Amino acid sequence: MTAAPTPTPANRSRVPKTVWDLIFTLIIPIMILSPNILGSGISVAEQVFGGGTTGNVRAYLLAALIPVGYVLWDLLVNRNVSPVALIGGAGAIFSGALAFWYVDGFWYAIKDSARSYLVGLLFLISAATSVPLFRVFLDATSIGESPEHRAATQTAMRDPVVRRGLVQGTVVFAVVDLIGGVVNSVVNYQRVTAKFGTDDFNAQIAAVNAVMRVPGLIISLVGVAGAVWLLNRAVTARYGAGASLFEPGKLAERLRERGEPVS
């Protein structure tokens, strides 16, 4: 009998990236901030950093910087220099810098949502320019398309009717992101009431991060869905029922039927 072949790394099951994202941006930070990890009596602030205000501050910084390091590591390892990845990396650096702003109460509530406020404002401003930022996400989705299909997508987005939908979608995405920031600030203001540098402060942050993860994701998806709906409505109005930027094959066919150059 011949021995069974040793499975290659390509055949082994891989942990989905979303799981790694969850581990490094939520689970590990929550565990670091917790004064009693899973009821074990273990506290990173106490056992690792010596406890007290200094220990709590160091644990807070570690919990804040691990997601930043993970995002930047992922960016460098995958060598992803797409606009979407670069925006994510810039946001991570911004969040990391804010970790050193030691505040509590109202200003902590503002700080924790600062990234949403910044992204929302940038998207709003971009809506008045020649490159609405929601187009960045659409360009990223078309990277893997064939040259013909990508050209059809780019041609459609230059059309005045479609561009108007793109501007509207960018505004909707920005407004929803700002609303999400306000919701997050309100929850933090209500729940994170302890003084910075205390066990309670870190524990309250961990609790809010856990509570707000799903609602925050839902709010973001609402913004994306609203923007996509407005954009597809504009594409349909311009090129007819069934036309969509997310079905470039059909879009390219519609462009050919209308005699419009695909370039």
Side-chain angles (χ1 to χ4, degrees), residues 74-151:
D74 184 58
L75 194 67
L76 293 173
V77 167
N78 292 323
R79 297 180 182 179
N80 190 348
V81 293
S82 71
V84 173
L86 293 176
I87 289 174
I93 293 172
F94 178 68
S95 297
L98 284 179
F100 294 91
W101 183 24
Y102 299 158
V103 289
D104 49 37
F106 173 80
W107 287 113
Y108 175 78
I110 296 299
K111 182 182 86 167
D112 196 62
S113 298
R115 187 170 175 175
S116 292
Y117 296 145
L118 178 63
V119 170
L121 288 174
L122 287 176
F123 270 69
L124 274 181
I125 293 170
S126 76
T129 70
S130 60
V131 185
L133 279 177
F134 194 71
R135 177 169 180 166
V136 171
F137 293 99
L138 298 174
D139 285 338
T141 62
S142 66
I143 288 176
E145 296 172 358
S146 67
E148 181 190 11
H149 288 176
R150 185 168 171 80

Side-chain angles (χ1 to χ4, degrees), residues 86-260:
L86 293 176
I87 289 174
I93 293 172
F94 178 68
S95 297
L98 284 179
F100 294 91
W101 183 24
Y102 299 158
V103 289
D104 49 37
F106 173 80
W107 287 113
Y108 175 78
I110 296 299
K111 182 182 86 167
D112 196 62
S113 298
R115 187 170 175 175
S116 292
Y117 296 145
L118 178 63
V119 170
L121 288 174
L122 287 176
F123 270 69
L124 274 181
I125 293 170
S126 76
T129 70
S130 60
V131 185
L133 279 177
F134 194 71
R135 177 169 180 166
V136 171
F137 293 99
L138 298 174
D139 285 338
T141 62
S142 66
I143 288 176
E145 296 172 358
S146 67
E148 181 190 11
H149 288 176
R150 185 168 171 80
T153 301
Q154 298 297 319
T155 298
M157 285 196 288
R158 288 194 295 268
D159 181 87
V161 174
V162 177
R163 189 184 182 285
R164 192 177 307 118
L166 187 58
V167 169
Q168 293 171 346
T170 299
V171 171
V172 166
F173 179 85
V175 170
V176 172
D177 215 48
L178 290 171
I179 292 172
V182 171
V183 171
N184 186 67
S185 287
V186 170
V187 173
N188 273 279
Y189 184 67
Q190 291 176 339
R191 295 185 174 232
V192 183
T193 57
K195 291 294 183 182
F196 179 83
T198 63
D199 290 344
D200 287 343
F201 181 81
N202 284 5
Q204 289 169 359
I205 291 175
V208 170
N209 287 347
V211 166
M212 286 303 297
R213 186 57 175 253
V214 173
L217 179 61
I218 290 173
I219 291 173
S220 295
L221 290 176
V222 167
V224 172
V228 168
W229 181 80
L230 285 168
L231 183 58
N232 272 334
R233 186 181 69 169
V235 173
T236 299
R238 179 67 178 84
Y239 297 107
S244 170
L245 289 178
F246 302 100
E247 295 184 74
K250 290 183 179 179
L251 185 60
E253 185 179 342
R254 292 295 175 84
L255 288 169
R256 286 194 296 269
E257 290 173 355
R258 290 170 174 267
E260 296 185 25

